[in-house]
Amino acid sequence: MSGQQNIPKTYDPHLVEEKWSKFWIDSGFFHTEVDWSRKPFCIVIPPPNVTGSLHLGHALNNTIQDILVRWRRMQGYNTLWLPGTDHAGIATQARVEEELAKEGLTKYDLGREKFLERVWAWKETYGGEIIKQLKRLGASCDWDRERFTMDEGCSRAVREVFRKLYEKGLIYRGNYIINWCPKCQTTISDIEVEHVEHQGKLYYIKYPGLDGGPGVVVATTRPETMLGDTGVAVHPGDPRYQHLIGKKVLLPLMDRPIPVVADEAVDPDFGTGAVKVTPAHDPTDFEIGNRHDLPQVVVIGRDGRMTEAAGKYAALTREEARQQVVSDLEELGLLLKVEDHVHAVGHCYRCDTVIEPLVSEQWFVRMKPLAEPALRAVKEGRIRFVPERFTKIYLNWLENIKDWCISRQLWWGHRIPVWYCQDCGAEICPPEDPQVCPHCQSSRLEQDPDVLDTWFSSALWPFSTLGWPEKTQELSYFYPTSVLVTGRDIIFFWVARMIFMGLEFMKEVPFREVLIHGLVLDSLGRKMSKSLGNGIDPLEVIDKYGADTLRFMLVTGNTPGNDMRFHWERVEGTRNFANKVWNAARFAILNLKDFQPGEFPQDLTLADRWILSRFNTTVQEVTKNLELYELGEAARTLYEFIWNEFCDWYIELVKPRLYGSNSSESRYAAQYVLWYVLLHTLELLHPFMPFITEEIWQHLPHSGESIAIASWPTPRQKFHAPEAERKMEFLMEVIRAVRSLRRELNLPPTKLVNCILVTDEERWSGLLQEYGGYLKDLAGVEDFRILETGGEKPSQALTAVVRGVEIYLPLAGLVDLDKEIQRLEKEFRTLENELKKVRAKLGNEKFLAKAPPEIVENCPPPGSP
């Protein structure tokens, strides 16, 4: 048993956190090796972008993971928390292109090879910043196993997965409508498009009939795309347009005849029930066009400007073209009306540019065959979502899934491992880079220029990081991993893809449980964003208050799956809790200087038995809540036990035995219980607040090198004392009642009082007689008398009742009764005047007309007492 006795007066997280972080890592407490004699517990970190810096979402996500990992490590599991970063294709390339722009250069000036050298150099210089920040947060990852989605092992896994899916026909190349970002100059997948409601317009345009035949009026939000129309569609059951189906109308401005087709996809209640069909620029129109063999006319290019096919509108931006088209239609008398219309517009999730649907040749993953096993795995309970409500969201998305566009027009990322022979036209996907074409032996091979969607490599993370495609010991031992902790915003981006990739290549789910947490919002409930200027830098919180404060604040009051609001007041409240823990520990350490724990004491007081029993219950509740992933409830339980029961009650109760002239046996028992409860409560608190608990634990008598590898406390039957708890709760209620009466009189703490307790129940009178010392020590009572009901009671006294026990605090000698009567009369008059004002307002019709209903309802009606 060792411990340091000198502890600073105040807690300074800056002196403590870096010291213990280095100690833990240098000591190898977070590193693990395969050990078949122990049960594994494994989490793979959701890899943050290598370009990024810690934001509150990261802080919450990694705090939750660290709590689970530290807890399981203390329980004796062989824990692996595997860290790493994501190459973040679009984001990283954009950052480097911004740096080049400052030098007056573009990526094309450098060429692909030199540009990639610059990206790798930039990654080496700045890419590790977020890892340093995670260490500051206290993340107990196995930092010896840090991975990167483009490291050699992950790259090999990506290559192998692509090849196998390609050979099975599950990866294919084809023309399809895709989401194109004109600014990022790349495709983005459907789930990377953020739909934002816009206040737009609905334009009603007349398409004249041919040769004087009947025309049709269509309604559209994007008149500029009409230049690429190749048809008009109506619902086959719409009686308004039966006479037009199969006929042709004239496309205004372009003077092109286009057919009217019938299609079930048309909503007869939208606009006029007739819609223009632009197969090259709308996903629904693309499908309609395929069903009716309509040509695709591309009128908007990849730069977001109109193409040559747009005729006189060529080279205009989309917005300019819209204005000109509307103006020209008005001049021709073909724009019948314009209505305000709120509709969702797709934006790039990276740069917020309005995306453009374009037909393009891209690489896709055929999703239906992969989705089926991923659906079954969740339906059969092999993967459990916490909270359960997210299961429905997952299932709904997979049941309606479309093929996944995986090619991106970028240079940074996993380049698509497909080569094209320039002589015989063969398309090959070999396991290694080819030197010659296997069909004609030509060496004129060109690799596909595109790279894979970043989420493709992330989807392999649970098994690629453990060594796949090699059959490693780590893969056999740690896969499937235990739990995935992630935000609700990437269930589709990442979670579903990891599940179907794991089932396809490992024939097993990648994790048993998925713990979903919400977003961290600002104090008004808004998402944090640069545009709103409402972001909170977690490093600012750590610098000011320490990592433990940030961690505990993020977890308390947080329930799985729900968003939480950030309030600085909550941060300060948690800082106060850390100070409370520190001051309690300092008191204990100063009173344990002559203490070495030996035999468990036999002569325990009621207070000792009570705190040990309450500690026992706390161990059970915290452990149970961690098992249920109710981390916020576990933290709340600890907070209340430490602040209310241990600090505010037990420490106060034990002071006389530590300070006074009690027997050495009583002092030893007090020291022992104080030490025991504090030491093991710190161990319960450690996963939540690792730094402060390590610092205090090292100052207490203890065994072992670190609290990080101490054993998790378990309940002990001998501490279970429900009777002691019942007795103590009654005494605490009496003490609270006396304190409340003292507050009514504004008595200073040094002013002692006498009180009279009236009861006929022997159980209460006996308890009060036996433990009256607690009343004297904690309620400022000099003396008290216990009377039976019916006896003479003081005429001038404040009173309270606790479980039938009447408590009297005689006023004689405590207050000047005349002055007290005057004070109360003055207070009564003030309240009476306020009441008159309220009643006057209620009689004022102007007030009643303007005041909110809830204000009026809460006012006392005129004439009420």
Side-chain angles (χ1 to χ4, degrees):
M1 287 281 180
S2 59
Q4 309 160 31
Q5 296 299 334
N6 297 320
I7 183 168
K9 189 173 182 179
T10 57
Y11 177 61
D12 184 348
H14 303 104
L15 297 176
V16 167
E17 293 179 352
E18 188 177 349
K19 172 181 70 175
W20 291 121
S21 183
K22 185 176 187 304
F23 169 70
W24 292 327
I25 294 169
D26 291 349
S27 301
F29 296 146
F30 306 154
H31 179 67
T32 191
E33 296 291 344
V34 172
D35 182 352
W36 292 97
S37 68
R38 297 169 64 198
K39 190 173 181 179
F41 180 82
C42 179
I43 293 181
V44 290
I45 200 171
N49 288 354
V50 73
T51 59
S53 57
L54 199 68
H55 59 63
L56 278 176
H58 290 132
L60 172 63
N61 177 263
N62 287 282
T63 294
I64 292 171
Q65 291 178 84
D66 194 48
I67 289 169
L68 296 174
V69 169
R70 286 181 183 269
W71 164 55
R72 291 300 195 190
R73 185 183 292 118
M74 294 174 76
Q75 282 192 320
Y77 285 79
N78 191 18
T79 57
L80 170 61
W81 184 12
L82 203 151
T85 50
D86 190 282
H87 65 278
I90 294 175
T92 305
Q93 179 159 325
R95 291 286 287 274
V96 177
E97 288 192 69
E98 286 170 12
E99 294 299 316
L100 285 176
K102 294 174 185 175
E103 302 171 28
L105 298 171
T106 70
K107 64 180 180 180
Y108 301 108
D109 294 325
L110 270 65
R112 185 168 192 146
E113 190 175 330
K114 291 291 183 185
F115 176 76
L116 289 177
E117 287 177 11
R118 284 289 293 263
V119 182
W120 277 105
W122 190 91
K123 181 257 176 190
E124 292 306 315
T125 304
Y126 301 105
E129 196 58 33
I130 197 162
I131 295 297
K132 294 175 190 170
Q133 292 167 351
L134 287 173
K135 289 177 181 177
R136 282 198 68 189
L137 187 67
S140 63
C141 298
D142 186 343
W143 297 109
D144 297 335
R145 294 181 182 272
E146 184 185 335
R147 300 300 301 269
F148 177 54
T149 50
M150 281 179 64
D151 67 27
E152 188 178 342
C154 289
S155 296
R156 183 162 177 238
V158 167
R159 178 85 171 253
E160 189 67 6
V161 164
F162 186 99
R163 184 178 67 84
K164 289 190 173 185
L165 291 176
Y166 178 88
E167 289 175 353
K168 287 181 74 171
L170 294 177
I171 284 183
Y172 66 94
R173 191 161 56 120
N175 283 318
Y176 203 78
I177 193 91
I178 51 91
N179 306 297
W180 180 261
C181 176
K183 183 176 180 182
C184 295
Q185 284 289 295
T186 186
T187 56
I188 59 175
S189 67
D190 288 344
I191 56 175
E192 293 170 313
V193 177
E194 291 187 347
H195 293 278
V196 181
E197 288 210 333
H198 279 230
Q199 180 64 57
K201 303 287 184 185
L202 192 60
Y203 302 87
Y204 289 79
I205 305 168
K206 175 71 178 288
Y207 283 31
L210 283 179
D211 303 322
V216 66
V217 177
V218 302
T220 180
T221 58
R222 299 191 68 198
E224 69 279 10
T225 63
M226 68 178 288
L227 306 172
D229 284 2
T230 55
V232 170
V234 296
H235 193 276
D238 193 333
R240 295 173 293 177
Y241 300 113
Q242 294 299 309
H243 64 290
L244 276 178
I245 296 171
K247 302 285 196 309
K248 289 192 175 184
V249 295
L250 192 66
L251 177 63
L253 306 180
M254 304 302 284
D255 294 332
R256 185 165 64 231
I258 57 176
V260 178
V261 300
D263 198 282
E264 295 277 353
V266 177
D267 177 4
D269 296 325
F270 176 77
T272 64
V275 296
K276 55 190 278 312
V277 181
T278 321
H281 295 289
D282 183 272
T284 303
D285 294 2
F286 176 81
E287 300 290 350
I288 293 174
N290 281 349
R291 287 193 286 273
H292 299 278
D293 293 322
L294 301 178
Q296 297 167 356
V297 178
V298 178
V299 293
I300 301 174
R302 292 188 169 194
D303 58 358
R305 292 181 176 271
M306 308 308 287
T307 67
E308 292 299 320
K312 72 172 188 177
Y313 305 97
L316 296 179
T317 66
R318 293 173 291 180
E319 295 75 17
E320 291 167 346
R322 179 176 300 181
Q323 291 176 4
Q324 192 61 53
V325 164
V326 168
S327 174
D328 291 348
L329 287 170
E330 275 185 303
E331 197 172 309
L332 293 169
L334 297 175
L335 183 63
L336 304 189
K337 65 174 178 175
V338 180
E339 293 177 345
D340 288 335
H341 179 67
V342 176
H343 63 122
V345 178
H347 290 247
C348 173
Y349 83 113
R350 288 288 182 195
C351 69
D352 204 37
T353 301
V354 173
I355 63 102
E356 186 60 50
L358 294 178
V359 173
S360 174
E361 187 174 55
Q362 301 288 341
W363 288 95
F364 295 87
V365 174
R366 207 178 302 279
M367 285 306 308
K368 286 292 183 188
L370 295 170
E372 288 301 325
L375 280 165
R376 284 198 305 274
V378 172
K379 287 178 178 177
E380 293 168 2
R382 286 183 282 149
I383 296 177
R384 183 174 75 95
F385 280 82
V386 181
E388 197 274 334
R389 69 178 183 271
F390 288 100
T391 305
K392 186 176 180 182
I393 296 171
Y394 167 89
L395 294 176
N396 185 59
W397 184 69
L398 276 182
E399 284 164 354
N400 298 282
I401 199 163
K402 295 178 181 178
D403 286 355
W404 174 18
C405 178
I406 54 169
S407 46
R408 299 289 181 270
Q409 287 63 55
L410 301 170
W411 287 355
W412 172 247
H414 293 281
R415 193 167 177 180
I416 289 174
V418 171
W419 282 257
Y420 309 105
C421 179
Q422 301 305 295
D423 288 331
C424 74
E427 178 182 291
I428 59 173
C429 181
E432 304 293 339
D433 290 5
Q435 301 303 312
V436 296
C437 172
H439 302 284
C440 71
Q441 305 307 307
S442 169
S443 61
R444 294 202 320 125
L445 299 174
E446 280 192 17
Q447 188 176 356
D448 193 295
D450 291 349
V451 300
L452 289 166
D453 178 7
T454 298
W455 296 102
F456 190 94
S457 51
S458 300
L460 320 182
W461 192 246
F463 56 89
S464 65
T465 53
L466 292 172
W468 190 92
E470 299 298 325
K471 293 181 179 178
T472 63
Q473 287 282 304
E474 283 82 0
L475 197 60
S476 302
Y477 181 68
F478 287 113
Y479 190 96
T481 63
S482 307
V483 60
L484 176 79
V485 180
T486 189
R488 62 173 173 79
D489 51 336
I490 57 172
I491 293 174
F492 312 136
F493 282 96
W494 194 43
V495 179
R497 289 166 175 171
M498 281 190 288
I499 292 172
F500 66 66
M501 286 296 198
L503 289 166
E504 174 69 17
F505 292 97
M506 293 295 296
K507 308 305 177 191
E508 177 60 282
V509 297
F511 26 73
R512 302 294 187 194
E513 295 174 308
V514 182
L515 175 58
I516 304 289
H517 60 77
L519 308 177
V520 184
L521 309 175
D522 72 4
S523 59
L524 300 176
R526 303 172 300 178
K527 283 184 74 171
M528 294 186 183
S529 67
K530 288 180 182 176
S531 59
L532 289 174
N534 62 344
I536 301 291
D537 182 357
L539 296 171
E540 179 188 343
V541 183
I542 293 174
D543 287 340
K544 193 171 181 182
Y545 296 98
D548 285 332
T549 293
L550 174 63
R551 289 167 61 112
F552 201 76
M553 183 280 298
L554 287 170
V555 174
T556 47
N558 187 17
T559 53
N562 291 336
D563 295 342
M564 65 176 293
R565 296 188 182 192
F566 181 93
H567 295 277
W568 280 107
E569 295 83 358
R570 289 190 59 229
V571 178
E572 288 168 4
T574 308
R575 186 267 318 274
N576 294 342
F577 174 64
N579 287 339
K580 185 89 167 180
V581 172
W582 183 263
N583 291 335
R586 188 168 181 273
F587 165 81
I589 290 163
L590 293 173
N591 284 279
L592 294 174
K593 287 184 176 179
D594 59 344
F595 170 77
Q596 276 300 318
E599 291 293 321
F600 188 83
Q602 300 303 311
D603 187 18
L604 298 179
T605 65
L606 174 64
D608 295 337
R609 296 197 305 278
W610 166 74
I611 197 65
L612 288 168
S613 187
R614 292 299 307 135
F615 169 73
N616 220 37
T617 302
T618 301
V619 172
Q620 291 174 310
E621 290 182 359
V622 170
T623 306
K624 179 191 73 176
N625 281 308
L626 288 174
E627 296 279 3
L628 295 172
Y629 296 117
E630 292 285 355
L631 276 64
E633 191 60 20
R636 185 196 62 79
T637 300
L638 272 169
Y639 179 96
E640 291 186 356
F641 173 74
I642 292 169
W643 190 296
N644 298 333
E645 296 177 318
F646 183 69
C647 294
D648 284 357
W649 285 98
Y650 184 70
I651 284 181
E652 296 305 315
L653 286 163
V654 86
K655 279 179 179 178
R657 293 160 66 203
L658 295 171
Y659 297 163
S661 57
N662 297 74
S663 67
S664 58
E665 290 82 3
S666 176
R667 177 174 163 78
Y668 174 77
Q671 288 178 312
Y672 192 103
V673 174
L674 180 65
W675 162 79
Y676 181 92
V677 174
L678 175 58
L679 184 82
H680 297 303
T681 299
L682 290 171
E683 290 161 358
L684 291 178
L685 185 61
H686 175 71
F688 301 87
M689 304 178 80
F691 296 106
I692 192 171
T693 51
E694 181 75 87
E695 180 71 12
I696 297 169
W697 192 86
Q698 293 287 352
H699 279 83
L700 291 167
H702 64 268
S703 58
E705 293 179 78
S706 168
I707 194 173
I709 52 172
S711 294
W712 182 254
T714 54
R716 298 178 66 176
Q717 184 58 37
K718 72 175 184 177
F719 292 161
H720 183 56
E723 185 60 26
E725 290 193 40
R726 282 192 290 271
K727 289 178 178 178
M728 196 66 211
E729 188 54 48
F730 166 72
L731 292 168
M732 288 159 67
E733 285 182 41
V734 172
I735 291 167
R736 287 191 197 101
V738 175
R739 286 174 172 175
S740 179
L741 296 177
R742 290 176 60 95
R743 277 195 298 275
E744 283 187 45
L745 298 172
N746 292 318
L747 295 180
T750 53
K751 180 69 174 177
L752 298 180
V753 300
N754 294 319
C755 67
I756 296 169
L757 307 164
V758 179
T759 179
D760 281 340
E761 293 197 47
E762 287 187 14
R763 57 174 176 159
W764 299 143
S765 59
L767 262 180
L768 291 166
Q769 200 69 54
E770 186 175 0
Y771 297 105
Y774 293 167
L775 187 60
K776 290 180 177 180
D777 293 335
L778 271 65
V781 173
E782 185 173 25
D783 199 8
F784 65 90
R785 287 187 295 147
I786 301 173
L787 304 178
E788 291 184 0
T789 306
E792 187 180 346
K793 300 170 185 176
S795 57
Q796 294 176 326
L798 291 183
T799 63
V801 179
V802 171
R803 302 196 197 186
V805 177
E806 298 171 19
I807 303 169
Y808 294 88
L809 205 64
L811 297 177
L814 295 179
V815 294
D816 184 323
L817 290 177
D818 291 335
K819 283 186 179 178
E820 184 66 12
I821 290 168
Q822 289 174 9
R823 184 186 70 80
L824 290 171
E825 286 176 344
K826 183 180 178 183
E827 193 174 312
F828 177 77
R829 286 193 297 273
T830 302
L831 291 171
E832 200 171 35
N833 288 333
E834 286 296 320
L835 191 57
K836 284 179 183 176
K837 291 177 186 176
V838 170
R839 285 173 177 160
K841 285 182 179 179
L842 289 173
N844 184 328
E845 290 185 6
K846 288 183 180 179
F847 171 79
L848 292 175
K850 293 180 180 179
E854 61 271 18
I855 297 292
V856 177
E857 286 171 15
N858 289 329
C859 289
S864 64

